[in-house]
Every structure is written in structure tokens, then in C-alpha cells.
């Protein structure tokens, strides 16, 4: 359970199959037990994007066992920071929460060569986010 000393970060994209899963994977790997990590989608897919899984495996992070999850009001309510990635108005807004919208290309349908730069951009943004939470 999150405590008042451990911030909770929620990553939200439409399908919860690529961007938000990669971001969650990086934050879990870089943040360890200093942060609670959630991810969800406004219209989740049935499975994680296989190319996103492959791109993350290249940097030593395994997200293959993750499953896309539907965005709930409770997930937003439990979070201190909500990072959206293209879900627009589907993301509920609560007063007092910190929101960031990361403009990232959707890796759906892209090959590994085109997903790598998205992955690397996400890694830099997650590292900066983690520095800001410290």
C-alpha cells in the first residue's frame, strides 16, 4: 500500500500496451521502492505491444508479464502524479494532483528501429520525473 512518504505515479495512455508500460517499467527499475508505480489505459488492448517488450528487453527491463489495465477513477485518486500520453479527455482530473502530459509517438504498429527512440525519450523523462520526486 502506498504511504504518505512514498509517492504514487500513474502512467496513462489509450491502450496501456506501449508507452505507459515502458514508462512504468523504467520507473520501477530506476525508482525501486522509493515510488509506487501504476499504469492504465482508457481503452486497454488485450496484450502488451510485443515490440515494446522487445525494446525494453534490450535495456534489461522485462515488461513481458504485464497486462493492460483499464483506467479507473480510483487509480487516479490514489496517485500523487498522473502522467498522460495521448488519452486526452478520457483521463479524469482531480484537484490537488500533479498532472503532466507527455507528447510521445504511439509505438503501435512501428518496428523496433522506430520504437527505440520513443523508449529512450521515455527513459529520459522518467529519470527527470524521479529526480523531481526526490
Amino acid at each position: 500500500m502506498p504511504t504518505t512518504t512514498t509517492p504514487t505515479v500513474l502512467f496513462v495512455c489509450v491502450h496501456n500496451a506501449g508507452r505507459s508500460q515502458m514508462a512504468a517499467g523504467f520507473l520501477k527499475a530506476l525508482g525501486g521502492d522509493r515510488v509506487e508505480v501504476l499504469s492504465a489505459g482508457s481503452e486497454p488492448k488485450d496484450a502488451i505491444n510485443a515490440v515494446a517488450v522487445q525494446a525494453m528487453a534490450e535495456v534489461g527491463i522485462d515488461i513481458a508479464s504485464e497486462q493492460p489495465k483499464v483506467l479507473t477513477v480510483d487509480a487516479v485518486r490514489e496517485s500523487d502524479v498522473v502522467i498522460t500520453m495521448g488519452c486526452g479527455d478520457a483521463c479524469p482530473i482531480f484537484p490537488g494532483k500533479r498532472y503532466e502530459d507527455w507528447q510521445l509517438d504511439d509505438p503501435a504498429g512501428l518496428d523496433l528501429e522506430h520504437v527505440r527512440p520513443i523508449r529512450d525519450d521515455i527513459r529520459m523523462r522518467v529519470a527527470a520525473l524521479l529526480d523531481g520526486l526526490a
Side-chain angles (χ1 to χ4, degrees), residues 11-12 17 21 29 34 36 40 42 47 55 61-62 68 70 76 95-96 107 110:
F11 294 102
V12 183
Q21 291 287 353
R34 293 180 291 154
E36 292 286 330
S42 53
I61 298 174
D62 181 7
V70 69
V76 177
L110 299 179

Side-chain angles (χ1 to χ4, degrees), residues 28-59:
K28 287 175 186 172
L30 298 172
D33 59 3
R34 293 180 291 154
V35 63
E36 292 286 330
V37 182
L38 304 172
S39 71
S42 53
E43 298 173 22
K45 290 282 190 195
D46 294 332
I48 300 278
N49 178 328
V51 180
V53 170
Q54 188 179 359
M56 292 299 285
E58 286 185 340
V59 295

